[in-house]
Amino acid sequence: MLIKDSFDEALKISESTNEFLSHYQIPPSPVNYSVIYLHASKRNDKLSAELERHVQTFQGVDLTFIEGLFEKYISNSHAIDKQILDPIEKSLTATLEKINLQVDSDKTVASNLKKAEKALTKHEYHKSMQNIVSFLMNNITASQQQHSDLSLELTRACGEVSFLKAKLEAARHEAIVDSLTGLYNRRGCDIKLKELDIEQVHSSLAIDIDHFKNVNDQFGHFIGDKVIQRIAKVIKSTISDQDIAVRFGGEEFIVVMVNKTMSQAHEVAEKIRLAISQLKLMQRDSKAYLPKISVSIGIAQRQDELNWTDVFEQADTALYQAKNNGRNRSVCL
């Protein structure tokens, strides 16, 4: 049957994927799994060709290369869902509906046969008819069991498809979100920028934590990470849902203020700066407070002739002016 073949194929692809990952000692993270699953399914010739060339050349696969394949062939598309999972899920669902209708029909027939058998038992001269009814009931019972077994198998298949779709969704999320802060990473920022209407007015904030190296040197990177997380939380809670908050690297953040002028962006920047300056961060073990944390912020507005790289560079220039002017301030360029 076509649906069962599709399910069996999905299981074989999963097994091949796991074998590949195990052979090259690649962690089965969502990103790694989705790349190798697409390769094992033989549904993306370009990805497979590039992967095979790499293996032949370097006799192995590293995580950086797999991440590059993910970004190139998967992260900005829903090819796997469309080519593999959605059609299978649709077919499975349709087949299950047909089986359920057949089961309902079998139940109706079985109920009528039971009534007939009960009526016929009262009349001995209908013995031959009773045998026919019993034969039909036995066949109906067997049919119901077959339908039940098939329905269970298809339900499991649906579960496998849902599981794979969840893995792919997790992979997409992992690929565009910074794991420490939950903000977008650079790749996520690039994807979100492509969704913006370039005809609108947009601004950008470049935010950098003041003297952050001193925090790491004095209190360690664990505390430094906690500081970054708290500042990211302040940024996220201050901006609107339409704005794009990005951890650009280390202790630097970018915020794209969607459909906001530089003046409006400056108001938001000041709210962020003041909120961070009022944070009271305590070390859990010693119960001692950390020194006051502050940020410097540079602000730029996107003009018609500027691309986003230019805007970010202008915001960064404004950021350095804020640093040179004493830190803990916002500067518009």
Side-chain angles (χ1 to χ4, degrees):
M1 191 176 76
L2 178 60
I3 298 305
K4 189 171 189 302
D5 288 343
S6 296
F7 176 50
D8 288 343
E9 182 183 9
L11 290 180
K12 289 178 182 178
I13 294 171
S14 296
E15 290 173 1
S16 298
T17 300
N18 291 328
E19 289 175 3
F20 188 101
L21 294 172
S22 177
H23 179 75
Y24 291 104
Q25 297 184 332
I26 301 170
S29 69
V31 166
N32 300 338
Y33 189 93
S34 59
V35 169
I36 305 307
Y37 185 93
L38 186 56
H39 166 62
S41 70
K42 299 179 180 178
R43 287 178 170 85
N44 191 310
D45 295 338
K46 292 183 179 179
L47 181 146
S48 293
E50 188 170 342
L51 178 59
E52 289 168 2
R53 282 197 302 271
H54 186 89
V55 171
Q56 291 174 1
T57 303
F58 298 99
Q59 303 302 312
V61 183
D62 56 36
L63 300 182
T64 302
F65 177 72
I66 290 183
E67 184 177 350
L69 291 179
F70 181 89
E71 181 177 358
K72 187 173 182 179
Y73 295 103
I74 299 176
S75 65
N76 198 26
S77 71
H78 295 268
I80 293 182
D81 281 353
K82 291 180 179 178
Q83 295 176 13
I84 305 174
L85 301 181
D86 284 347
I88 293 177
E89 187 174 42
K90 185 177 180 180
S91 297
L92 290 174
T93 301
T95 304
L96 277 171
E97 290 175 355
K98 291 179 181 178
I99 289 174
N100 289 333
L101 288 174
Q102 184 62 48
V103 168
D104 290 340
S105 176
D106 287 349
K107 287 179 179 178
T108 300
V109 173
S111 176
N112 291 334
L113 288 174
K114 284 182 179 179
K115 292 177 182 179
E117 184 182 43
K118 187 176 181 180
L120 291 171
T121 54
K122 298 177 181 179
H123 306 281
E124 294 183 1
Y125 51 85
H126 285 313
K127 198 71 176 178
S128 60
M129 185 61 71
Q130 285 181 324
N131 292 335
I132 294 174
V133 171
S134 296
F135 172 79
L136 291 174
M137 286 188 64
N138 289 335
N139 278 274
I140 287 293
T141 301
S143 175
Q144 286 178 312
Q145 183 60 48
Q146 290 175 352
H147 286 142
S148 176
D149 293 342
L150 181 55
S151 179
L152 179 61
E153 185 177 351
L154 289 175
T155 299
R156 289 172 179 168
C158 281
E160 174 75 8
V161 171
S162 297
F163 176 69
L164 292 175
K165 291 183 75 173
K167 275 193 171 184
L168 290 179
E169 185 57 36
R172 291 192 190 95
H173 181 77
E174 180 188 81
I176 65 173
V177 173
D178 173 61
S179 59
L180 179 65
T181 63
L183 304 182
Y184 288 110
N185 56 24
R186 290 194 179 198
R187 184 186 297 115
C189 179
D190 290 340
I191 291 172
K192 298 300 291 185
L193 289 177
K194 292 176 183 177
E195 298 174 0
L196 295 183
D197 181 359
I198 60 175
E199 298 300 323
Q200 294 180 329
V201 175
H202 306 297
S203 299
S204 174
L205 310 181
I207 305 172
D208 189 82
I209 305 174
D210 295 329
H211 302 298
F212 185 71
K213 185 177 184 300
N214 294 342
V215 175
N216 277 334
D217 291 345
Q218 186 175 351
F219 301 100
H221 289 279
F222 177 79
I223 296 298
D225 286 348
K226 293 298 180 183
V227 171
I228 289 174
Q229 287 176 326
R230 286 295 301 275
I231 289 178
K233 187 175 181 180
V234 170
I235 293 172
K236 189 67 175 177
S237 64
T238 306
I239 64 177
S240 71
D241 293 337
Q242 289 72 40
D243 297 329
I244 304 168
V246 183
R247 185 185 178 198
F248 214 61
E251 67 273 22
E252 185 176 356
F253 304 86
I254 289 288
V255 179
V256 176
M257 310 300 296
V258 177
N259 200 24
K260 293 180 179 67
T261 63
M262 190 182 315
S263 176
Q264 293 171 313
H266 183 261
E267 291 181 10
V268 176
E270 280 297 286
K271 289 180 181 179
I272 292 173
R273 185 185 66 80
L274 291 172
I276 291 172
S277 68
Q278 294 169 4
L279 287 176
K280 293 183 178 180
L281 304 177
M282 178 185 290
Q283 296 183 73
R284 182 174 297 178
D285 296 335
S286 65
K287 303 299 183 183
Y289 285 101
L290 296 179
K292 287 287 186 181
I293 301 295
S294 67
V295 295
S296 299
I297 305 176
I299 307 159
Q301 181 174 311
R302 186 184 186 280
Q303 307 294 334
D304 292 338
E305 68 276 9
L306 296 179
N307 58 38
W308 280 109
T309 299
D310 294 333
V311 177
F312 292 158
E313 287 179 355
Q314 287 192 358
D316 205 47
T317 299
L319 169 64
Y320 278 100
Q321 289 183 13
K323 294 281 190 182
N324 294 332
N325 291 340
R327 295 182 170 81
N328 190 24
R329 64 194 65 222
S330 301
V331 171
C332 295
L333 187 65

